[in-house]
């Protein structure tokens, strides 16, 4: 009764033992349950890719939706036999979709993403390391992650002990509730700390931008 569209005799797919690549091929062949499984598996990656932009001023839900569109693009265009894994391919598609959304928003006065972040000035400090570019290879993604980690390490020096303790799990895609259970604080306390981090990132970003102008 909860799923009237599913044939009662149709076996429920078991994807636990299948790698992402095989599930993606099933999704590409029209298996809706396979696509749903990949969306479930990669929801946290989408949030992890979007959250640095959220901290820099973007709208959390709008960014997440754009990232999900990038994930669906990856699911529907992935081909077997690629050198890169599906995860690497998905991350490239997600980040590229986010990048395109931010660039488009910069030309719209009323877009929630407007003024969220420019990818040309540095995001967290005075280095020239960019988060990612519009044309990424798997190697670029790996390098971008390392550069982002370095910038976050620099930011941590400006955070309180509690703020620093939640930054990494937050950027990894954990919810405020999950982080709260991990650190023994309330979800509200975690959310308040995230907002304080956002303000500090905004000040950093504004000062680095003005220093270069």
């Amino acid at each position: 009764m909860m799923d009237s569209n599913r044939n009662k005799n149709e076996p429920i797919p078991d994807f636990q033992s299948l790698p992402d690549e095989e599930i993606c091929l099933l999704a590409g062949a029209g298996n809706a349950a396979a696509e749903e499984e990949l969306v479930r598996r990669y929801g946290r990656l989408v949030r992890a890719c979007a959250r640095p932009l959220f901290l820099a001023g973007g709208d959390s839900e709008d960014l997440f939706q754009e990232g999900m569109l990038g994930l669906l693009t990856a699911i529907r265009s992935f081909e077997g036999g690629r050198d890169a894994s599906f995860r690497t391919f998905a991350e490239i598609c997600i980040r590229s979709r986010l990048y395109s959304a931010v660039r488009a928003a910069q030309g719209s006065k009323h877009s929630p993403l407007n003024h969220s972040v420019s990818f040309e000035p540095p995001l967290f400090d005075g280095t020239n390391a960019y988060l990612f570019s519009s044309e990424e290879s798997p190697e670029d993604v790996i390098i971008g992650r390392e550069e982002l980690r370095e910038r976050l390490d620099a930011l941590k020096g400006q955070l309180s002990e509690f703020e620093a303790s939640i930054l990494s799990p937050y950027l990894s895609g954990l919810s405020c509730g999950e982080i709260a259970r991990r650190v023994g604080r309330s979800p509200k306390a975690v959310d308040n700390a995230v907002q304080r981090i956002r303000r500090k990132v905004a000040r950093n970003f504004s000062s680095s931008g003005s220093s270069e102008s």
Side-chain angles (χ1 to χ4, degrees):
M1 187 171 182
M2 292 180 62
D3 189 359
S4 58
N5 294 324
R6 182 183 293 278
N7 188 319
K8 292 183 179 180
N9 297 321
E10 180 182 345
I12 298 174
D14 180 11
F15 299 113
Q16 290 187 350
S17 61
L18 294 180
D20 296 342
E21 290 75 14
E22 289 188 27
I23 299 175
C24 191
L25 293 178
L26 290 172
N31 188 317
E35 183 171 274
E36 291 171 6
E37 172 66 13
L38 288 173
V39 167
R40 184 191 66 78
R41 289 188 184 188
Y42 281 86
R44 183 168 290 176
L45 175 63
V46 172
R47 293 194 184 279
C49 290
R51 278 180 170 173
L53 307 186
F54 170 65
L55 289 179
D59 181 272
S60 178
E61 192 57 33
D62 280 7
L63 286 166
F64 179 71
Q65 293 301 326
E66 291 293 339
M68 288 301 297
L69 290 173
L71 173 60
L72 290 174
T73 296
I75 293 172
R76 294 168 184 177
S77 61
F78 183 78
E79 299 175 0
R82 288 176 176 267
D83 292 334
S85 67
F86 174 73
R87 183 180 181 86
T88 298
F89 182 68
E91 185 172 349
I92 293 171
C93 291
I94 293 165
R95 290 183 182 274
S96 295
R97 178 77 190 201
L98 289 168
Y99 176 85
S100 297
V102 170
R103 283 206 310 177
Q106 287 171 345
S108 171
K109 290 184 179 180
H110 304 292
S111 170
L113 288 176
N114 194 32
H115 305 306
S116 62
V117 61
S118 165
F119 286 85
E120 294 305 320
L123 185 56
F124 291 117
D125 61 10
T127 71
N128 290 320
Y130 303 155
L131 180 60
F132 57 86
S133 66
S134 58
E135 296 180 358
E136 278 196 309
S137 67
E139 292 79 9
D140 292 329
V141 171
I142 295 171
I143 293 171
R145 283 199 298 258
E146 294 301 321
E147 292 174 342
L148 177 59
R149 187 174 295 110
E150 291 176 4
R151 291 197 291 276
L152 293 177
D153 286 342
L155 174 65
K156 284 181 181 178
Q158 303 173 36
L159 303 179
S160 70
E161 183 177 350
F162 178 55
E163 290 164 356
S165 72
I166 71 167
L167 181 59
S168 292
Y170 181 76
L171 289 174
S172 73
L174 294 182
S175 68
C176 287
E178 289 171 324
I179 298 171
R181 289 191 292 273
R182 176 178 291 190
V183 300
R185 299 286 290 272
S186 70
K188 181 64 175 176
V190 173
D191 183 66
N192 287 340
V194 169
Q195 299 308 317
R196 292 195 298 272
I197 293 171
R198 291 191 76 191
R199 291 192 289 271
K200 292 178 181 181
V201 170
R203 286 198 296 270
N204 257 13
F205 185 71
S206 298
S207 61
S208 65
S210 60
S211 65
E212 291 185 355
S213 57

